[in-house]
Amino acid sequence: MYAAASPFSLLHISGFYNVFQSMHHIRRNNLPGDLVECGCFLGGVGIFMALLREHLDMSDRTIWLLDTFEGFPDGQHDYFIGQDAPINSVHHDNFRADVEGNIAHCLPDPGKLRLIEGPVETTLPTLDIRVIALLRLDTDFYTSTKAEPEHLYGRLVRGGVLIVDDYGIFQGSRRAPDEYLARLSSPPLFNRIDSGVWAGVKP
Ligand SMILES: C[S@@+](CC[C@H](N)C(=O)[O-])C[C@H]1O[C@@H](n2cnc3c(N)ncnc32)[C@H](O)[C@@H]1O
């Protein structure tokens, strides 16, 4: 599964192993809910989730993959933690067709898998995602990473997994979840997975 999916992802193997463990945790504890990645880029994590979903007999779950499919929205910028160096904010030509091709290549029958196109700040309020078991945030910048828990953390089940990529690397990816979690009476214990990825289980 890793060999199939990893060519379409920027994650290290530790990030995939974190998704692997999270999905086993969800299965073992019979937690209900869908699997969501904000910032899917070329779809590798979504493909990995779909392969594992089949392996774990979880095909009732919808996988939601959100992205502009054009890179970072114009006018947004952010910085590396501990430096004033800005992140190189790449804008691509629309790559949705590439993601669809990657999915078709790896998943002859992708099952319930939804690609949601547009800035999450715009698309999240329109989405009918009711219950979430796995919430993975990977849009890097402050504005989007702030909008994501505002809309979605309340729908994450107790025992569900929150993963924030680049929490260890980018200022916005740390500040936005920190601000959100600081308002909760019972925030999750957030732990380092690797240099970028942090994760916690909702109490
Ligand atoms: C670091 S990449 C995601 C990496 C991906 N999870 C992987 O496995 O390789 C960040 C992605 O977030 C998307 N993105 C950035 N800002 C966004 C926003 N406001 N709304 C939706 N997607 C956004 C970019 O287009 C890009 O594909």
Side-chain angles (χ1 to χ4, degrees), residues 9-11 37 39 41 45 67-68 71-73 119-121 138 140 144:
S9 174
L10 302 173
L11 264 66
E37 187 181 41
F41 192 37
V45 170
D67 209 293
T68 58
F72 299 93
V120 291
E121 300 88 325
D138 195 2
D140 298 358
S144 51

